[in-house]
Amino acid sequence: MPSPDQASAQYEHTSVLLDGAVDVLVHQPDGVYLDGTFGRGGHSRVILSRLNEAGRLIALDRDPQAVAAASDIADSRFTMVQRDFARLADVAREQGVHGKLAGILLDVGVSSPQLDDPERGFSFMRNGPLDMRMDPSQGESAAEFLAHASEATIAHVFKAYGEERFGKRLARAVVNRRGEAPFTHTVDLADVLKAAHPAWEKGRHPATKAFQGLRIYLNGELEQLDAALEAALEALAPGGHLVVISFHSLEDRRVKRFIRHHVRGDTHLPKGVPIRDDQLNRRLEALGKGKRPSDDEVAENPRARSAVMRAARKR
């Protein structure tokens, strides 16, 4: 297996909505910003280019390969921390900037290097150990989960986290097959799912949604996102910008709902209760509507096609 440094160099990552996200995020060149998902540093490098000498950037990532890649940035204004973004408030406190951040960027989901490296076990297109953990030192791998989980639990993961409507059928195929031999590699699982899937979507591998569901579930991605959004609201300074890029409808719905809730404020009051506008506890102001990549960006980077960027300002 390649070292983290070798893997970082071998697998490239193209940041989605790169300039557009940073344009919205950086509104104070001398501010302190937090990139909650460093990846391979595409957004972080552009953020640093927009800051003056007084500006500062703190970046987080739970993936050790991403942390290793950050060593390429030799900039005194830059700090890298190995942590998942759900704990960004802890990092902000440690760095003495909680409640003072000018902007927070969250680029949610799996990165291209994670997908492209077969040793990480994220992709059904490349054979490798069936792992799928963003931090391989934490939690259980996909192989371990599939070895013991009940058929009902596997079906739930496929359906709830992957939005796979044939989740029960695919789970049954997985359980039947593991009785003969355990799943250890990605292509092995993908072949079983492919054979069991009754209705292939044009242009999409039949294992896509099941793999996605496993990855989201094993890494607690939706729970992490919910926690990160709440933490970000508290860590931002008044007037600070929150920018979130998501790649899946489950994620985007959560982001949209979160922003809408805090834009509207307390709407659970009984009808007829007299209340001033400033008493509604409106904590966010939306910065436009959801933005998608341009046709040119999608043509250059097909993985960008499902991306949605949403942004808000803390009141």
Side-chain angles (χ1 to χ4, degrees), residues 40 74 78 91 97 115 152 159 164 194 198 220 234 250 257 294:
R40 292 302 181 267
F78 177 72
V91 175
V97 294
L115 283 171
K159 187 173 183 179
E164 173 54 74
K194 181 179 178 180
E234 301 304 324
L250 289 175
R257 185 166 58 240
S294 66

Side-chain angles (χ1 to χ4, degrees), residues 40 55 64 88 100 105 117 128 159 173 208 239 243 247 252 254 296 301 303:
R40 292 302 181 267
L88 67 86
K100 302 176 183 178
L105 172 67
D117 183 355
K159 187 173 183 179
T208 299
V243 178
F247 292 81
D252 182 53
R254 276 172 151 77
D296 289 342
N301 178 19
R303 286 177 178 166

